[in-house]
Amino acid sequence: MDCTESECSQRQDLERILIGRDEIARRVNELGRQITADYAGRELVIICILKGGLPFAADLMRKIDLPLQLEVVGASAYKGATTTTARLRITKDVDHDMAGRHVLLIEDIYDTGNTLHAVHELLDLHKPASLEICALLRKDKPRPTDLPIRYVGFDIEDVFVVGYGLDYKERYRNLPCVGVLKSEIYKE
Ligand code: IMP
Ligand code: MG
């Protein structure tokens, strides 16, 4: 089912679709090819940041043609709201030591950067051989310190989006596209 079609029930909550599922699939393919080429001859560990990074990491890892290990980390910054709080909790650490490994962090969105800063700091303590970031979305906004994001799926305007992993109050993560919610949903 395509969420551009009327039978996708959550589609009606979107004001507009920002990135369609075919466009996402094409870009995930490209990123997979690029990562495969960049890490040729090396073994990669991809670390998915829960929960928003899940669909992206699941699709992307199958487009990477390399020996690869998967880890997940949990970081919680949102309390069901549409603005980021500065406080952040690591709710799930990696299961293995990352010393000497080539690590690629997979995140749904680079918004304020609080999450990526915290997880990047945590992983840096492991002394990996390399530590890079891949974010599906990057919002166009000023940040006090900018993290270098090696791989970006899409640069988007500074609007609140849902779908393909991104939630509003834990909903809409299963939408196959990325879209902007109707403002009346926030007011409910
Ligand atoms: P940060 O502000 O870069 O730390 O982003 C923290 C987390 O907030 C991201 O991993 C997302 O889960 C969530 N987030 C940020 N912007 C959005 C958005 O536009 N829609 C839904 N979730 C968002
Ligand atoms: Mg969230």
PDB file of all heavy atoms in Angstrom, residues 15-46:
ATOM      1  N   GLU A  15      -0.741  17.034   6.288  1.00  0.00           N
ATOM      2  CA  GLU A  15      -1.045  18.238   5.514  1.00  0.00           C
ATOM      3  C   GLU A  15      -0.450  18.089   4.111  1.00  0.00           C
ATOM      4  O   GLU A  15      -1.041  18.447   3.114  1.00  0.00           O
ATOM      5  CB  GLU A  15      -0.419  19.415   6.266  1.00  0.00           C
ATOM      6  CG  GLU A  15      -0.549  20.755   5.623  1.00  0.00           C
ATOM      7  CD  GLU A  15       0.398  21.741   6.293  1.00  0.00           C
ATOM      8  OE1 GLU A  15       0.234  22.010   7.500  1.00  0.00           O
ATOM      9  OE2 GLU A  15       1.314  22.221   5.610  1.00  0.00           O
ATOM     10  N   ARG A  16       0.770  17.530   4.065  1.00  0.00           N
ATOM     11  CA  ARG A  16       1.405  17.253   2.769  1.00  0.00           C
ATOM     12  C   ARG A  16       2.501  16.210   2.949  1.00  0.00           C
ATOM     13  O   ARG A  16       3.033  16.026   4.056  1.00  0.00           O
ATOM     14  CB  ARG A  16       1.995  18.524   2.161  1.00  0.00           C
ATOM     15  CG  ARG A  16       3.084  19.163   3.001  1.00  0.00           C
ATOM     16  CD  ARG A  16       3.383  20.580   2.536  1.00  0.00           C
ATOM     17  NE  ARG A  16       4.046  21.332   3.590  1.00  0.00           N
ATOM     18  CZ  ARG A  16       5.362  21.589   3.619  1.00  0.00           C
ATOM     19  NH1 ARG A  16       6.135  21.175   2.659  1.00  0.00           N
ATOM     20  NH2 ARG A  16       5.887  22.267   4.616  1.00  0.00           N
ATOM     21  N   ILE A  17       2.781  15.547   1.827  1.00  0.00           N
ATOM     22  CA  ILE A  17       3.893  14.588   1.827  1.00  0.00           C
ATOM     23  C   ILE A  17       5.145  15.332   1.420  1.00  0.00           C
ATOM     24  O   ILE A  17       5.152  16.060   0.430  1.00  0.00           O
ATOM     25  CB  ILE A  17       3.610  13.430   0.852  1.00  0.00           C
ATOM     26  CG1 ILE A  17       2.446  12.578   1.382  1.00  0.00           C
ATOM     27  CG2 ILE A  17       4.848  12.565   0.654  1.00  0.00           C
ATOM     28  CD1 ILE A  17       1.987  11.505   0.434  1.00  0.00           C
ATOM     29  N   LEU A  18       6.191  15.158   2.227  1.00  0.00           N
ATOM     30  CA  LEU A  18       7.450  15.844   1.937  1.00  0.00           C
ATOM     31  C   LEU A  18       8.346  14.962   1.054  1.00  0.00           C
ATOM     32  O   LEU A  18       8.914  15.428   0.076  1.00  0.00           O
ATOM     33  CB  LEU A  18       8.158  16.154   3.271  1.00  0.00           C
ATOM     34  CG  LEU A  18       8.993  17.410   3.355  1.00  0.00           C
ATOM     35  CD1 LEU A  18       8.161  18.640   3.036  1.00  0.00           C
ATOM     36  CD2 LEU A  18       9.583  17.536   4.762  1.00  0.00           C
ATOM     37  N   ILE A  19       8.432  13.673   1.425  1.00  0.00           N
ATOM     38  CA  ILE A  19       9.252  12.738   0.656  1.00  0.00           C
ATOM     39  C   ILE A  19       8.463  11.440   0.490  1.00  0.00           C
ATOM     40  O   ILE A  19       8.107  10.790   1.481  1.00  0.00           O
ATOM     41  CB  ILE A  19      10.600  12.444   1.372  1.00  0.00           C
ATOM     42  CG1 ILE A  19      11.287  13.747   1.811  1.00  0.00           C
ATOM     43  CG2 ILE A  19      11.533  11.651   0.468  1.00  0.00           C
ATOM     44  CD1 ILE A  19      12.334  13.549   2.879  1.00  0.00           C
ATOM     45  N   GLY A  20       8.200  11.082  -0.732  1.00  0.00           N
ATOM     46  CA  GLY A  20       7.423   9.878  -1.023  1.00  0.00           C
ATOM     47  C   GLY A  20       8.241   8.617  -0.834  1.00  0.00           C
ATOM     48  O   GLY A  20       9.466   8.663  -0.745  1.00  0.00           O
ATOM     49  N   ARG A  21       7.542   7.481  -0.767  1.00  0.00           N
ATOM     50  CA  ARG A  21       8.277   6.244  -0.460  1.00  0.00           C
ATOM     51  C   ARG A  21       9.217   5.808  -1.575  1.00  0.00           C
ATOM     52  O   ARG A  21      10.268   5.232  -1.296  1.00  0.00           O
ATOM     53  CB  ARG A  21       7.316   5.141  -0.077  1.00  0.00           C
ATOM     54  CG  ARG A  21       6.469   4.579  -1.187  1.00  0.00           C
ATOM     55  CD  ARG A  21       5.510   3.638  -0.532  1.00  0.00           C
ATOM     56  NE  ARG A  21       5.241   2.495  -1.357  1.00  0.00           N
ATOM     57  CZ  ARG A  21       4.604   1.427  -0.905  1.00  0.00           C
ATOM     58  NH1 ARG A  21       4.224   1.375   0.347  1.00  0.00           N
ATOM     59  NH2 ARG A  21       4.366   0.420  -1.687  1.00  0.00           N
ATOM     60  N   ASP A  22       8.887   6.109  -2.828  1.00  0.00           N
ATOM     61  CA  ASP A  22       9.792   5.743  -3.932  1.00  0.00           C
ATOM     62  C   ASP A  22      11.073   6.568  -3.879  1.00  0.00           C
ATOM     63  O   ASP A  22      12.169   6.068  -4.143  1.00  0.00           O
ATOM     64  CB  ASP A  22       9.103   5.951  -5.289  1.00  0.00           C
ATOM     65  CG  ASP A  22       7.952   4.975  -5.483  1.00  0.00           C
ATOM     66  OD1 ASP A  22       7.892   3.972  -4.737  1.00  0.00           O
ATOM     67  OD2 ASP A  22       7.106   5.224  -6.369  1.00  0.00           O
ATOM     68  N   GLU A  23      10.900   7.835  -3.516  1.00  0.00           N
ATOM     69  CA  GLU A  23      12.061   8.727  -3.404  1.00  0.00           C
ATOM     70  C   GLU A  23      12.969   8.266  -2.262  1.00  0.00           C
ATOM     71  O   GLU A  23      14.199   8.281  -2.379  1.00  0.00           O
ATOM     72  CB  GLU A  23      11.538  10.144  -3.143  1.00  0.00           C
ATOM     73  CG  GLU A  23      12.478  11.235  -3.589  1.00  0.00           C
ATOM     74  CD  GLU A  23      11.927  12.622  -3.274  1.00  0.00           C
ATOM     75  OE1 GLU A  23      10.700  12.765  -3.073  1.00  0.00           O
ATOM     76  OE2 GLU A  23      12.747  13.555  -3.202  1.00  0.00           O
ATOM     77  N   ILE A  24      12.350   7.836  -1.165  1.00  0.00           N
ATOM     78  CA  ILE A  24      13.131   7.312  -0.029  1.00  0.00           C
ATOM     79  C   ILE A  24      13.901   6.071  -0.477  1.00  0.00           C
ATOM     80  O   ILE A  24      15.102   5.943  -0.235  1.00  0.00           O
ATOM     81  CB  ILE A  24      12.228   6.980   1.183  1.00  0.00           C
ATOM     82  CG1 ILE A  24      11.599   8.256   1.760  1.00  0.00           C
ATOM     83  CG2 ILE A  24      13.015   6.249   2.277  1.00  0.00           C
ATOM     84  CD1 ILE A  24      10.572   8.019   2.874  1.00  0.00           C
ATOM     85  N   ALA A  25      13.206   5.167  -1.160  1.00  0.00           N
ATOM     86  CA  ALA A  25      13.840   3.913  -1.592  1.00  0.00           C
ATOM     87  C   ALA A  25      15.028   4.191  -2.517  1.00  0.00           C
ATOM     88  O   ALA A  25      16.088   3.556  -2.385  1.00  0.00           O
ATOM     89  CB  ALA A  25      12.812   3.030  -2.286  1.00  0.00           C
ATOM     90  N   ARG A  26      14.846   5.140  -3.439  1.00  0.00           N
ATOM     91  CA  ARG A  26      15.939   5.496  -4.369  1.00  0.00           C
ATOM     92  C   ARG A  26      17.148   6.029  -3.604  1.00  0.00           C
ATOM     93  O   ARG A  26      18.279   5.646  -3.865  1.00  0.00           O
ATOM     94  CB  ARG A  26      15.476   6.569  -5.358  1.00  0.00           C
ATOM     95  CG  ARG A  26      14.902   6.015  -6.659  1.00  0.00           C
ATOM     96  CD  ARG A  26      14.854   7.092  -7.742  1.00  0.00           C
ATOM     97  NE  ARG A  26      14.076   8.259  -7.340  1.00  0.00           N
ATOM     98  CZ  ARG A  26      12.739   8.340  -7.448  1.00  0.00           C
ATOM     99  NH1 ARG A  26      12.047   7.325  -7.914  1.00  0.00           N
ATOM    100  NH2 ARG A  26      12.106   9.433  -7.075  1.00  0.00           N
ATOM    101  N   ARG A  27      16.891   6.888  -2.642  1.00  0.00           N
ATOM    102  CA  ARG A  27      17.992   7.513  -1.887  1.00  0.00           C
ATOM    103  C   ARG A  27      18.681   6.487  -0.982  1.00  0.00           C
ATOM    104  O   ARG A  27      19.908   6.514  -0.830  1.00  0.00           O
ATOM    105  CB  ARG A  27      17.429   8.683  -1.054  1.00  0.00           C
ATOM    106  CG  ARG A  27      18.461   9.491  -0.360  1.00  0.00           C
ATOM    107  CD  ARG A  27      19.306  10.326  -1.331  1.00  0.00           C
ATOM    108  NE  ARG A  27      20.399  10.976  -0.617  1.00  0.00           N
ATOM    109  CZ  ARG A  27      21.690  10.790  -0.870  1.00  0.00           C
ATOM    110  NH1 ARG A  27      22.069   9.988  -1.858  1.00  0.00           N
ATOM    111  NH2 ARG A  27      22.614  11.403  -0.159  1.00  0.00           N
ATOM    112  N   VAL A  28      17.893   5.582  -0.390  1.00  0.00           N
ATOM    113  CA  VAL A  28      18.471   4.537   0.469  1.00  0.00           C
ATOM    114  C   VAL A  28      19.393   3.640  -0.371  1.00  0.00           C
ATOM    115  O   VAL A  28      20.485   3.260   0.064  1.00  0.00           O
ATOM    116  CB  VAL A  28      17.356   3.728   1.170  1.00  0.00           C
ATOM    117  CG1 VAL A  28      17.903   2.479   1.834  1.00  0.00           C
ATOM    118  CG2 VAL A  28      16.631   4.600   2.204  1.00  0.00           C
ATOM    119  N   ASN A  29      18.961   3.361  -1.598  1.00  0.00           N
ATOM    120  CA  ASN A  29      19.785   2.597  -2.539  1.00  0.00           C
ATOM    121  C   ASN A  29      21.116   3.280  -2.808  1.00  0.00           C
ATOM    122  O   ASN A  29      22.178   2.654  -2.742  1.00  0.00           O
ATOM    123  CB  ASN A  29      19.033   2.513  -3.876  1.00  0.00           C
ATOM    124  CG  ASN A  29      18.721   1.088  -4.235  1.00  0.00           C
ATOM    125  OD1 ASN A  29      19.573   0.220  -4.105  1.00  0.00           O
ATOM    126  ND2 ASN A  29      17.503   0.862  -4.663  1.00  0.00           N
ATOM    127  N   GLU A  30      21.038   4.572  -3.098  1.00  0.00           N
ATOM    128  CA  GLU A  30      22.250   5.357  -3.385  1.00  0.00           C
ATOM    129  C   GLU A  30      23.189   5.362  -2.186  1.00  0.00           C
ATOM    130  O   GLU A  30      24.387   5.163  -2.329  1.00  0.00           O
ATOM    131  CB  GLU A  30      21.881   6.818  -3.671  1.00  0.00           C
ATOM    132  CG  GLU A  30      21.377   7.089  -5.063  1.00  0.00           C
ATOM    133  CD  GLU A  30      20.896   8.538  -5.221  1.00  0.00           C
ATOM    134  OE1 GLU A  30      21.148   9.387  -4.312  1.00  0.00           O
ATOM    135  OE2 GLU A  30      20.246   8.796  -6.233  1.00  0.00           O
ATOM    136  N   LEU A  31      22.616   5.593  -0.997  1.00  0.00           N
ATOM    137  CA  LEU A  31      23.442   5.628   0.215  1.00  0.00           C
ATOM    138  C   LEU A  31      24.108   4.278   0.448  1.00  0.00           C
ATOM    139  O   LEU A  31      25.272   4.210   0.828  1.00  0.00           O
ATOM    140  CB  LEU A  31      22.585   6.015   1.435  1.00  0.00           C
ATOM    141  CG  LEU A  31      22.157   7.477   1.534  1.00  0.00           C
ATOM    142  CD1 LEU A  31      21.134   7.658   2.653  1.00  0.00           C
ATOM    143  CD2 LEU A  31      23.354   8.387   1.781  1.00  0.00           C
ATOM    144  N   GLY A  32      23.357   3.211   0.220  1.00  0.00           N
ATOM    145  CA  GLY A  32      23.898   1.858   0.385  1.00  0.00           C
ATOM    146  C   GLY A  32      25.102   1.630  -0.523  1.00  0.00           C
ATOM    147  O   GLY A  32      26.125   1.087  -0.103  1.00  0.00           O
ATOM    148  N   ARG A  33      24.966   2.075  -1.771  1.00  0.00           N
ATOM    149  CA  ARG A  33      26.070   1.918  -2.738  1.00  0.00           C
ATOM    150  C   ARG A  33      27.280   2.736  -2.313  1.00  0.00           C
ATOM    151  O   ARG A  33      28.418   2.268  -2.370  1.00  0.00           O
ATOM    152  CB  ARG A  33      25.608   2.351  -4.133  1.00  0.00           C
ATOM    153  CG  ARG A  33      24.953   1.221  -4.938  1.00  0.00           C
ATOM    154  CD  ARG A  33      25.033   1.500  -6.429  1.00  0.00           C
ATOM    155  NE  ARG A  33      24.327   2.736  -6.780  1.00  0.00           N
ATOM    156  CZ  ARG A  33      23.025   2.800  -7.037  1.00  0.00           C
ATOM    157  NH1 ARG A  33      22.304   1.691  -6.999  1.00  0.00           N
ATOM    158  NH2 ARG A  33      22.451   3.933  -7.345  1.00  0.00           N
ATOM    159  N   GLN A  34      27.007   3.956  -1.865  1.00  0.00           N
ATOM    160  CA  GLN A  34      28.093   4.851  -1.449  1.00  0.00           C
ATOM    161  C   GLN A  34      28.828   4.291  -0.230  1.00  0.00           C
ATOM    162  O   GLN A  34      30.065   4.267  -0.189  1.00  0.00           O
ATOM    163  CB  GLN A  34      27.491   6.217  -1.120  1.00  0.00           C
ATOM    164  CG  GLN A  34      28.499   7.343  -1.063  1.00  0.00           C
ATOM    165  CD  GLN A  34      27.833   8.658  -0.636  1.00  0.00           C
ATOM    166  OE1 GLN A  34      26.626   8.842  -0.778  1.00  0.00           O
ATOM    167  NE2 GLN A  34      28.628   9.565  -0.100  1.00  0.00           N
ATOM    168  N   ILE A  35      28.078   3.805   0.748  1.00  0.00           N
ATOM    169  CA  ILE A  35      28.679   3.245   1.971  1.00  0.00           C
ATOM    170  C   ILE A  35      29.471   1.980   1.625  1.00  0.00           C
ATOM    171  O   ILE A  35      30.579   1.775   2.123  1.00  0.00           O
ATOM    172  CB  ILE A  35      27.580   2.979   3.034  1.00  0.00           C
ATOM    173  CG1 ILE A  35      27.013   4.319   3.537  1.00  0.00           C
ATOM    174  CG2 ILE A  35      28.110   2.144   4.200  1.00  0.00           C
ATOM    175  CD1 ILE A  35      25.694   4.209   4.303  1.00  0.00           C
ATOM    176  N   THR A  36      28.920   1.156   0.758  1.00  0.00           N
ATOM    177  CA  THR A  36      29.613  -0.064   0.328  1.00  0.00           C
ATOM    178  C   THR A  36      30.961   0.286  -0.298  1.00  0.00           C
ATOM    179  O   THR A  36      31.986  -0.355  -0.001  1.00  0.00           O
ATOM    180  CB  THR A  36      28.745  -0.842  -0.695  1.00  0.00           C
ATOM    181  OG1 THR A  36      27.478  -1.137  -0.093  1.00  0.00           O
ATOM    182  CG2 THR A  36      29.429  -2.139  -1.115  1.00  0.00           C
ATOM    183  N   ALA A  37      30.976   1.323  -1.125  1.00  0.00           N
ATOM    184  CA  ALA A  37      32.229   1.731  -1.785  1.00  0.00           C
ATOM    185  C   ALA A  37      33.195   2.337  -0.769  1.00  0.00           C
ATOM    186  O   ALA A  37      34.385   1.998  -0.756  1.00  0.00           O
ATOM    187  CB  ALA A  37      31.922   2.736  -2.890  1.00  0.00           C
ATOM    188  N   ASP A  38      32.690   3.191   0.106  1.00  0.00           N
ATOM    189  CA  ASP A  38      33.559   3.888   1.070  1.00  0.00           C
ATOM    190  C   ASP A  38      34.216   2.934   2.068  1.00  0.00           C
ATOM    191  O   ASP A  38      35.328   3.188   2.527  1.00  0.00           O
ATOM    192  CB  ASP A  38      32.756   4.937   1.854  1.00  0.00           C
ATOM    193  CG  ASP A  38      32.342   6.116   0.988  1.00  0.00           C
ATOM    194  OD1 ASP A  38      32.795   6.192  -0.168  1.00  0.00           O
ATOM    195  OD2 ASP A  38      31.536   6.954   1.465  1.00  0.00           O
ATOM    196  N   TYR A  39      33.512   1.866   2.426  1.00  0.00           N
ATOM    197  CA  TYR A  39      34.037   0.941   3.450  1.00  0.00           C
ATOM    198  C   TYR A  39      34.551  -0.361   2.835  1.00  0.00           C
ATOM    199  O   TYR A  39      34.743  -1.341   3.560  1.00  0.00           O
ATOM    200  CB  TYR A  39      32.958   0.632   4.497  1.00  0.00           C
ATOM    201  CG  TYR A  39      32.667   1.786   5.431  1.00  0.00           C
ATOM    202  CD1 TYR A  39      31.717   2.747   5.105  1.00  0.00           C
ATOM    203  CD2 TYR A  39      33.351   1.928   6.629  1.00  0.00           C
ATOM    204  CE1 TYR A  39      31.436   3.811   5.963  1.00  0.00           C
ATOM    205  CE2 TYR A  39      33.087   2.991   7.493  1.00  0.00           C
ATOM    206  CZ  TYR A  39      32.129   3.923   7.154  1.00  0.00           C
ATOM    207  OH  TYR A  39      31.869   4.978   7.997  1.00  0.00           O
ATOM    208  N   ALA A  40      34.793  -0.362   1.544  1.00  0.00           N
ATOM    209  CA  ALA A  40      35.248  -1.585   0.850  1.00  0.00           C
ATOM    210  C   ALA A  40      36.460  -2.182   1.563  1.00  0.00           C
ATOM    211  O   ALA A  40      37.379  -1.458   1.946  1.00  0.00           O
ATOM    212  CB  ALA A  40      35.590  -1.260  -0.594  1.00  0.00           C
ATOM    213  N   GLY A  41      36.430  -3.483   1.780  1.00  0.00           N
ATOM    214  CA  GLY A  41      37.551  -4.173   2.417  1.00  0.00           C
ATOM    215  C   GLY A  41      37.528  -4.107   3.928  1.00  0.00           C
ATOM    216  O   GLY A  41      38.414  -4.651   4.600  1.00  0.00           O
ATOM    217  N   ARG A  42      36.536  -3.409   4.477  1.00  0.00           N
ATOM    218  CA  ARG A  42      36.439  -3.305   5.932  1.00  0.00           C
ATOM    219  C   ARG A  42      35.139  -3.928   6.425  1.00  0.00           C
ATOM    220  O   ARG A  42      34.204  -4.113   5.664  1.00  0.00           O
ATOM    221  CB  ARG A  42      36.491  -1.837   6.369  1.00  0.00           C
ATOM    222  CG  ARG A  42      37.896  -1.260   6.285  1.00  0.00           C
ATOM    223  CD  ARG A  42      37.917   0.203   6.626  1.00  0.00           C
ATOM    224  NE  ARG A  42      37.560   1.014   5.472  1.00  0.00           N
ATOM    225  CZ  ARG A  42      37.408   2.338   5.511  1.00  0.00           C
ATOM    226  NH1 ARG A  42      37.569   2.983   6.651  1.00  0.00           N
ATOM    227  NH2 ARG A  42      37.098   3.016   4.432  1.00  0.00           N
ATOM    228  N   GLU A  43      35.135  -4.236   7.713  1.00  0.00           N
ATOM    229  CA  GLU A  43      33.914  -4.755   8.314  1.00  0.00           C
ATOM    230  C   GLU A  43      33.261  -3.617   9.096  1.00  0.00           C
ATOM    231  O   GLU A  43      33.921  -2.889   9.827  1.00  0.00           O
ATOM    232  CB  GLU A  43      34.256  -5.931   9.241  1.00  0.00           C
ATOM    233  CG  GLU A  43      33.037  -6.698   9.632  1.00  0.00           C
ATOM    234  CD  GLU A  43      33.384  -8.083  10.227  1.00  0.00           C
ATOM    235  OE1 GLU A  43      34.413  -8.671   9.823  1.00  0.00           O
ATOM    236  OE2 GLU A  43      32.627  -8.530  11.092  1.00  0.00           O
ATOM    237  N   LEU A  44      31.978  -3.496   8.917  1.00  0.00           N
ATOM    238  CA  LEU A  44      31.268  -2.328   9.438  1.00  0.00           C
ATOM    239  C   LEU A  44      30.364  -2.730  10.608  1.00  0.00           C
ATOM    240  O   LEU A  44      29.811  -3.827  10.632  1.00  0.00           O
ATOM    241  CB  LEU A  44      30.424  -1.775   8.284  1.00  0.00           C
ATOM    242  CG  LEU A  44      29.699  -0.452   8.438  1.00  0.00           C
ATOM    243  CD1 LEU A  44      30.684   0.689   8.672  1.00  0.00           C
ATOM    244  CD2 LEU A  44      28.878  -0.175   7.168  1.00  0.00           C
ATOM    245  N   VAL A  45      30.220  -1.824  11.582  1.00  0.00           N
ATOM    246  CA  VAL A  45      29.179  -1.986  12.600  1.00  0.00           C
ATOM    247  C   VAL A  45      28.208  -0.828  12.425  1.00  0.00           C
ATOM    248  O   VAL A  45      28.624   0.331  12.499  1.00  0.00           O
ATOM    249  CB  VAL A  45      29.736  -1.929  14.042  1.00  0.00           C
ATOM    250  CG1 VAL A  45      28.618  -2.198  15.058  1.00  0.00           C
ATOM    251  CG2 VAL A  45      30.871  -2.926  14.227  1.00  0.00           C
ATOM    252  N   ILE A  46      26.951  -1.137  12.120  1.00  0.00           N
ATOM    253  CA  ILE A  46      25.997  -0.038  12.091  1.00  0.00           C
ATOM    254  C   ILE A  46      25.224  -0.042  13.409  1.00  0.00           C
ATOM    255  O   ILE A  46      24.802  -1.079  13.917  1.00  0.00           O
ATOM    256  CB  ILE A  46      25.068  -0.031  10.858  1.00  0.00           C
ATOM    257  CG1 ILE A  46      24.106  -1.191  10.852  1.00  0.00           C
ATOM    258  CG2 ILE A  46      25.849   0.010   9.558  1.00  0.00           C
ATOM    259  CD1 ILE A  46      23.000  -0.977   9.844  1.00  0.00           C
TER     260      ILE A  46
END
